[in-house]
Amino acid sequence: MQRIRKGDEVIVIAGRSKGQRGHVLKVLADDRYLVENVNMVKRHMKPDPQRQQPGGIVEREAPIHGSNVMLYNPATDRGDRVGFKMLDDGRKVRVFRSTGEVVDI
């Protein structure tokens, strides 16, 4: 079970995007994430007539390493560590370490 999943709201704790929040768009290999409107880079793209793609400078998200993001806890309004817990019905869920509140619903 992963600590951070697609759709989770995370906060950046290190790097040039420090303090920014966003939702995880994609989970990549090697503990990297694509986060909405975080770690934006400019790419110089050639036009591709087959894909109907114009050329120019395109701004898009670059992957960010998992060590630089934390799951956002709305109760404390900060990033929080994540642990795991087994419920009485046998399900394994993620919980915030500071409050013990269940992340998954």
Side-chain angles (χ1 to χ4, degrees), residues 24-73:
V24 176
L25 300 174
K26 192 173 186 181
V27 177
L28 303 171
D30 299 331
D31 198 27
R32 293 186 176 273
Y33 304 99
L34 273 182
V35 182
E36 174 182 40
N37 296 323
V38 171
N39 198 24
M40 299 298 285
V41 295
K42 292 182 191 282
R43 291 276 305 189
H44 293 72
M45 304 291 287
K46 287 179 85 172
D48 189 355
Q50 292 177 348
R51 292 190 196 166
Q52 307 296 326
Q53 181 182 12
I57 300 173
V58 178
E59 196 169 10
R60 66 180 191 189
E61 295 95 357
I64 188 166
H65 195 265
S67 65
N68 297 327
V69 296
M70 289 182 91
L71 197 61
Y72 178 71
N73 187 349

Side-chain angles (χ1 to χ4, degrees), residues 9-11 21 70-80 96:
E9 188 173 4
V10 295
I11 187 165
R21 287 191 330 210
M70 289 182 91
L71 197 61
Y72 178 71
N73 187 349
T76 60
D77 198 36
R78 302 171 58 175
D80 206 345
F96 289 118

